[in-house]
Amino acid sequence: MLSQRALQVQPSPTLALSAKAREMKQQGIDVLAFTAGEPDFDTPDFAKAAAIEAIHAGYTKYTATPGIPELREAISEKFWRDNHLRYSPDQIVVSCGAKHSIFNALMALVDPGDEVIIPSPCWVSYPEQVKLMGGVPVIAPTEESNDFAPYYDAIRELITPRTKVLMLNSPCNPTGAVYSRQTLKEIAALAIKHNFWVIADEIYEKLIYEGHSHTSIAALGSEIYERVITINGLSKSHAMTGWRIGYAAAPLKVAKAMICLQDQMTSNACSIAQYAALGALQGPAEWYDTMRQRFDARRKRMVEGLNQVPGIRCWTPLGAFYAFANVEGLKERSIDGFDFSDGDGVSAYLLEKARIAVVPGSGFCAPGYIRWSYATSEAIIEAGMDRLKSVFSS
Ligand code: PMP
Ligand code: GLU
């Protein structure tokens, strides 16, 4: 018999649907994939060159569990430069992707029965990882009409003596919301007053549009700094999803606990990928602007295309690379026997009839929505919007 843990955990729908789209393409099916939360750009040459150099230099052995000193140093400098955050290298833990960093953080903080507040719509892995710890995910709904920002009162009402952690993700996957400084201040005040931890997943920090800016909650004062684990990584900022480098920065006692856990689970992240990450962080800052401008143009095109379809309404995302479209207006319609009562039905129809792969909102705790990743080429976005229009107008 498998463990309860293994029996209960749900597979990641984002990964499953990305794999399905890839498989269909391999079979020669002309599918347009808007599933993966993965930049379509190539990893920059300055990161690749650092990895190749590392291989030739023989850096192919175990490293210290939390990462090579040069990388921890570069991350410490990045936090100061970009986020006004002082983290010394010994507060930094490099792991096999930000997903692994979040897992380590939850494992270091959450006991069975502890509650973890998650503003939703939320990334698919948060509730499942909390459940893997024996914790209880407590969903705090946000709404389009409030720019998908967490409500202070709603969060306050969910706090109990068992509240241990609040998950924050700004810019947010899947909504594209970017939380204001004021919202973050309010959350920080609650965390200080009620003494819980905040895991701030800032992996999309470099992808913010329309002049908005990123605030790290840990930078809002010394009291909140002591309660925050800041998560980031190279997957989105440098198109390095396959290299698997993420990192966490935390108060020393939490960082030490995370290192100890990682010691017994995976040891260090890949040595070569760590050198690539070092090369990436030391690379030219213009890289971010180039990438953001490309995503911004795609964002506008996609939101415009989605909003042209009667029954679909798409809030304009301010960050990340997802358009989160409300499809509740399609409820009354049904084509070829497909049930459009939620995003699952609409997504199934799109895959079957239009060969468009998207991720239904149910995995993000938002069944009335579907998520479109615009981290794909302009040509695919154009073709996708054309197909979408034609299947719903026929
Ligand atoms: N957090 C969020 C919100 C994400 O969308 C992702 C994407 N996979 C991750 C964390 C993890 O990224 P990775 O493990 O590739 O660093
Ligand atoms: N975070 C990305 C997404 O949401 C990658 C897939 C995953 O790790 O869930 O699509």
Side-chain angles (χ1 to χ4, degrees):
M1 186 64 171
L2 295 173
S3 68
Q4 283 308 310
R5 203 175 281 122
L7 290 170
Q8 278 172 14
V9 71
Q10 297 296 318
S12 162
T14 45
L15 293 180
L17 282 155
S18 302
K20 178 154 189 189
R22 208 177 305 128
E23 206 179 287
M24 288 171 78
K25 275 191 222 160
Q26 275 161 2
Q27 289 165 0
I29 301 170
D30 171 28
V31 63
L32 301 173
F34 299 95
T35 40
E38 155 163 270
D40 57 318
F41 310 128
D42 199 5
T43 299
D45 283 341
F46 48 86
K48 286 186 188 172
I52 293 164
E53 215 174 287
I55 295 174
H56 289 308
Y59 296 145
T60 53
K61 303 284 168 57
Y62 291 134
T63 72
T65 292
I68 53 172
E70 303 90 314
L71 179 57
R72 293 171 89 198
E73 184 69 48
I75 293 168
S76 162
E77 284 165 16
K78 177 249 174 269
F79 274 123
W80 180 237
R81 188 178 61 232
D82 297 355
N83 310 105
H84 305 291
L85 274 170
R86 282 265 184 233
Y87 284 119
S88 61
D90 58 353
Q91 290 177 273
I92 288 160
V93 190
V94 177
S95 301
C96 310
K99 191 183 270 185
H100 184 204
S101 303
I102 298 164
F103 193 86
N104 277 343
L106 287 169
M107 196 155 226
L109 300 174
V110 175
D111 278 319
D114 283 348
E115 294 169 7
V116 177
I117 298 179
I118 309 175
S120 100
C122 60
W123 183 42
V124 295
S125 292
Y126 297 155
E128 293 307 313
Q129 288 201 357
V130 169
K131 285 192 239 162
L132 283 172
M133 306 304 151
V136 182
V138 177
I139 301 300
T142 67
E143 291 170 327
E144 225 174 294
S145 57
N146 191 40
D147 296 336
F148 289 114
Y151 290 106
Y152 176 83
D153 287 332
I155 294 206
R156 196 186 48 192
E157 277 166 25
L158 292 171
I159 296 169
T160 74
R162 287 308 303 255
T163 303
K164 193 68 185 284
V165 177
L166 183 139
M167 297 294 311
L168 265 193
N169 179 212
S170 175
C172 175
N173 173 8
T175 62
V178 174
Y179 300 161
S180 68
R181 203 176 170 85
Q182 183 55 29
T183 296
L184 294 171
K185 276 186 178 168
E186 289 173 4
I187 290 172
L190 286 174
I192 293 164
K193 181 166 180 207
H194 298 278
N195 195 25
F196 56 78
W197 297 94
V198 174
I199 297 180
D201 177 354
E202 305 188 347
I203 194 148
Y204 294 99
E205 94 176 292
K206 296 294 179 198
L207 296 171
I208 297 189
Y209 317 102
E210 298 186 18
H212 289 262
S213 59
H214 174 75
T215 302
S216 289
I217 189 167
L220 293 178
S222 55
E223 272 189 291
I224 186 64
Y225 175 90
E226 290 301 327
R227 288 174 172 77
V228 177
I229 294 84
T230 305
I231 307 286
N232 213 320
L234 281 291
S235 284
K236 322 289 171 173
S237 65
H238 290 83
M240 288 177 64
T241 46
W243 299 78
R244 310 306 304 131
I245 296 289
Y247 52 89
L252 201 54
K253 74 169 178 190
V254 182
K256 279 186 174 162
M258 290 170 67
I259 294 167
C260 185
L261 289 161
Q262 186 164 305
D263 250 357
Q264 298 292 16
M265 288 190 287
T266 58
S267 308
N268 59 279
C270 166
S271 60
I272 299 154
Q274 289 189 58
Y275 282 95
L278 178 61
L281 289 175
Q282 291 173 339
E286 297 82 66
W287 160 263
Y288 301 119
D289 291 333
T290 312
M291 187 180 57
R292 189 177 49 244
Q293 281 159 15
R294 293 280 300 275
F295 281 134
D296 193 13
R298 296 165 179 191
R299 174 183 74 106
K300 289 177 183 147
R301 176 65 191 100
M302 190 165 240
V303 171
E304 181 200 9
L306 290 168
N307 279 319
Q308 277 169 1
V309 179
I312 297 184
R313 185 183 73 230
C314 187
W315 180 78
T316 303
L318 299 176
F321 42 53
Y322 307 103
F324 204 50
N326 183 311
V327 293
E328 283 165 359
L330 293 171
K331 251 183 196 159
E332 305 306 319
R333 293 183 68 176
S334 160
I335 310 175
D336 298 337
F338 278 85
D339 171 10
F340 290 165
S341 60
D342 62 18
D344 287 342
V346 178
S347 304
Y349 173 76
L350 286 175
L351 189 60
E352 181 78 21
K353 298 293 177 186
R355 298 296 189 214
I356 288 175
V358 291
V359 186
S362 49
F364 306 97
C365 306
Y369 289 77
I370 51 182
R371 190 191 80 173
W372 298 71
S373 162
Y374 51 86
T376 188
S377 73
E378 287 78 2
I380 290 179
I381 294 174
E382 284 305 328
M385 293 301 103
D386 280 351
R387 274 193 208 177
L388 178 72
K389 240 189 193 168
S390 67
V391 286
F392 280 116
S393 60
S394 61

